[in-house]
Amino acid sequence: MKIVIVGSINTDMIVKVPRIPKTGETILGGKFSTAAGGKGANQAVAAARAGGDVTFIARVGNDMFGKQALEDFESNNINAKYIKTDNAEPSGVALIFVDEKGENSIAVASGANARLSHRDVTEAEEVIKSADILLMQLETPMESVKRAAKIAKEAGVKVILNPAPACPLDNTLLSTLYVITPNESEAELLTDISVTDFPSAEKAAFILLDRGVEVAIITMGIKGALIKTRELTKIVPGFKVNAVDSTAAGDVFNGSLVVAMAEGKTLEETVQFANAAAALSVTKLGAQPSAPKRVEIERMLLKQA
């Protein structure tokens, strides 16, 4: 289960608020907290806690946030050999509002994440080639994403892309992907299909297949996820829980997904495993603190069996 993740590292600064403020509005919030975050780091921690052997390729600043991140990776048994310390830029920071329903609004200062380079990825070429799965997101420069995808594809390594934050993607990159995992809004940006239900999700997924992806998995929150291949169309229901904070639910989904996939589970079993992990994550505040351990995921699956 060798999993390599290329991505971002942030420190999340979280304020609980009655509702997300409108433009120009000030709201007095409640509890303030900080938590380890960043899409890449969240997915790395989620994958490690779900049972994966994880190597992480990233950049942090030479500051207290970067040092804390490296300590956190060590405590989660993540191989941090390929995480560079950047002396020119600070570590990434995310400012997060979380409302009473658990919904969030996030702004990110990328810092060192924006300097993860083609060269950084090339220096990790051998570990990418030896992986079972490569997982990436889009909080680092596109050149690093494309370089890693090319190395992995040529070595026969399965490439999984969580296309978040959403941005247009060319067919050259899409054709290197085994799986793409957009949510509704990301799927709409990629396909120009307004995704509001499973039929519209299937239309968007079919376009992604036509653009070169082998498997499209469109996540739809509590409704579950749609799996689409040339041979299979499958809806995998979500799990009902009391949501506290949806921050990093998608990251936990993706980190858990690649572990189940690396273990050889079917696509349906893989997405069910990831749905269970994501559901557990929204019951806790914070990004990485909310990623469940393997035993918790298995307990959730047994409960819903």
Side-chain angles (χ1 to χ4, degrees), residues 21 32 57 72 75 100 102 113 121 125 132 151 154 173 179 183 190 192 199 201 204 253 264:
F32 168 76
I57 302 168
D72 290 344
S75 70
E100 292 176 341
N113 295 311
V121 173
E125 183 170 357
D132 295 301
I151 292 169
E154 290 177 354
L173 175 60
V179 178
N183 62 20
L190 291 170
D192 290 328
F253 177 93

Side-chain angles (χ1 to χ4, degrees), residues 92 98 152 160 174 202 220 224 228 234 236 280 292:
V98 180
I160 318 299
L174 291 174
E202 185 177 357
M220 304 181 71
K228 180 71 176 175
K234 186 71 179 181
V236 183
L280 286 166

Side-chain angles (χ1 to χ4, degrees), residues 5 9 27 49 56 65 88 109 119 136 153 190 204 218 246 266 293:
I5 296 177
I9 301 170
I27 289 179
R49 290 185 186 167
F56 191 21
F65 294 140
R119 180 177 177 179
M136 298 183 290
K153 179 71 172 179
L190 291 170
I218 298 181
S246 62
T266 66
K293 295 180 180 179

Side-chain angles (χ1 to χ4, degrees), residues 104-181:
N104 62 56
S105 177
I106 305 174
V108 176
S110 296
N113 295 311
R115 286 166 54 85
L116 184 67
S117 68
H118 181 286
R119 180 177 177 179
D120 293 336
V121 173
T122 300
E123 288 177 2
E125 183 170 357
E126 291 308 312
V127 76
I128 295 173
K129 287 180 176 179
S130 67
D132 295 301
I133 290 179
L134 171 69
L135 172 63
M136 298 183 290
Q137 334 71 38
L138 299 173
E139 283 188 336
T140 54
M142 188 61 73
E143 69 163 10
S144 63
V145 172
K146 288 183 174 180
R147 176 58 179 156
K150 185 174 187 293
I151 292 169
K153 179 71 172 179
E154 290 177 354
V157 176
K158 289 179 177 177
V159 183
I160 318 299
L161 179 67
N162 173 218
C167 70
L169 300 175
D170 60 45
N171 289 352
T172 302
L173 175 60
L174 291 174
S175 65
T176 66
L177 304 182
Y178 175 59
V179 178
I180 192 166
T181 61

Side-chain angles (χ1 to χ4, degrees), residues 239-245 249 252 273-285 289-301 303:
F239 292 76
K240 291 183 178 180
V241 294
N242 294 320
V244 172
D245 178 11
V252 171
F273 184 88
N275 278 348
L280 286 166
S281 77
V282 304
T283 65
K284 299 177 184 177
L285 188 65
S290 73
K293 295 180 180 179
R294 177 69 177 236
V295 66
E296 296 174 286
I297 301 170
E298 291 178 342
R299 192 180 299 132
M300 171 69 90
L301 290 167
K303 189 186 300 183

Side-chain angles (χ1 to χ4, degrees), residues 226-273:
L226 173 84
I227 306 169
K228 180 71 176 175
T229 71
R230 293 292 180 188
E231 297 79 29
L232 174 71
T233 301
K234 186 71 179 181
I235 296 167
V236 183
F239 292 76
K240 291 183 178 180
V241 294
N242 294 320
V244 172
D245 178 11
S246 62
T247 305
D251 297 331
V252 171
F253 177 93
N254 281 276
S256 304
L257 182 91
V258 295
V259 171
M261 191 170 290
E263 291 176 353
K265 296 184 190 299
T266 66
L267 281 174
E268 184 177 355
E269 291 168 340
T270 293
V271 172
Q272 188 177 40
F273 184 88

Side-chain angles (χ1 to χ4, degrees), residues 43-56:
Q43 292 178 11
V45 169
R49 290 185 186 167
D53 177 358
V54 179
T55 297
F56 191 21

